[in-house]
Structure formats: C-alpha cells, structure tokens
Amino acid sequence: MNGFGPLAREAIADALRRRIAAAVALAALLSVAMLDSCTSCSPSINVNGQLREMSELAGPAGLGSFVVLGLWVIALAGVLAADHLQSTLDDGSALLALARPIGRDSFALARLTGVLGLAFCAGLVMLGSAAALLASRSGLPMAPALIAGGACALGCIAVSGLPPLNGFV
C-alpha cells in the first residue's frame, strides 16, 4: 500500500470537486427537508375513519424511513463509485497516477476511499437527521438507528466496491 495516504486525500478532494457531489449534497438536504415535513405531522391522524395517535405509528414509520433512506444512500454510493473511477480512466489521470510506483490495488482502494467518504457524509446527514427527528418528535430510541447506520455503511462498502474493481484490478 505504498503511497495510499496521498492518493486517498487526492481522491477525496477529487470527489468533492465533481458536480455529482453537489447533486448528492442537494439530494441529502432535500431528503432531510422531506423527512422534516413528514415527522412534523399532528399528534393524531384519521386512518380508515378512525382517529389514531401517531405514537402507535411511530415505530413502523421510523423503520420505513430508515429503510428508504438507507437504500437511497447505498444507491448513491454505487453511482458515485461507478462515476469516480471511470472518470479517472477516461481523462487519463489514472495512467498518470499508475506511472508512479503504485499498485493498481492501492489506486483503486484510494479512489474507493474518496467515494466512501462522500457517501458516508451523505448517509450521516440523512440517517443522523432522521434519527434525531424521530427521537425528538416521536420518542423513538437511538440505539436501533445506530445499528441501522452501521448496516447502511456496510452496504455502501459492498455496493461501491463492485463497480471500480470490475475489470480493473
């Protein structure tokens, strides 16, 4: 793993410079805004003509929110990973980096680190906001949210590792 640190720093900076990073940030903020509007409902709603308290529905709604947001973050990680390595191959900067005494695996892992940094930040914003909103407004515990966030991080690692390594390393 010779030269991994400088390559990883460059990959993170490159990931933040891309236009897709702004789109990911915008998608994360829109998701948080949508979740904010969904969790600010009145304490009771009308379901099939019966008045039900929101506290009865908070658990399933929180689970559904975390599943949807977690899958969204994992999909973003896959899209970012596919774009991040392919763009360096297309513009020739991968050949320039590989001309140095660096292995292909170090280069691919550094590029993956840049993608995961961006995906983890987006996931932290979305899932962290969801956990905080659901805990403050519905009284749901934070421990399951931490476990779900860890599972989402593992999903991001698995999905984002597939596109760059396919046919490269």
Side-chain angles (χ1 to χ4, degrees):
M1 294 284 199
N2 188 17
F4 176 76
L7 277 176
R9 282 191 295 277
E10 190 272 328
I12 290 171
D14 187 36
L16 291 174
R17 281 191 300 263
R18 297 196 180 278
R19 279 186 253 166
I20 197 164
V24 168
L26 181 65
L29 292 176
L30 286 175
S31 298
V32 169
M34 194 167 60
L35 185 68
D36 180 41
S37 69
C38 291
T39 58
S40 65
C41 295
S42 65
S44 60
I45 60 171
N46 189 357
V47 177
N48 293 332
Q50 297 177 351
L51 195 61
R52 294 183 69 180
E53 293 295 318
M54 284 299 290
S55 61
E56 298 172 16
L57 302 173
L63 174 67
S65 298
F66 264 88
V67 167
V68 169
L69 288 175
L71 290 175
W72 176 238
V73 170
I74 291 170
L76 283 175
V79 168
L80 287 171
D83 176 64
H84 198 56
L85 185 61
Q86 186 61 40
S87 62
T88 58
L89 293 173
D90 289 343
D91 68 8
S93 61
L95 294 175
L96 183 64
L98 290 172
R100 294 183 253 164
I102 300 170
R104 288 176 147 194
D105 54 347
S106 295
F107 178 75
L109 192 59
R111 299 307 287 180
L112 180 63
T113 301
V115 167
L116 288 176
L118 190 59
F120 286 166
C121 287
L124 184 67
V125 167
M126 286 192 275
L127 294 176
S129 298
L133 287 171
L134 290 170
S136 67
R137 294 182 178 170
S138 302
L140 292 177
M142 293 290 276
L146 293 174
I147 294 169
C152 181
L154 289 175
C156 286
I157 291 170
V159 169
S160 63
L162 294 176
L165 300 179
N166 185 14
F168 180 70
V169 175

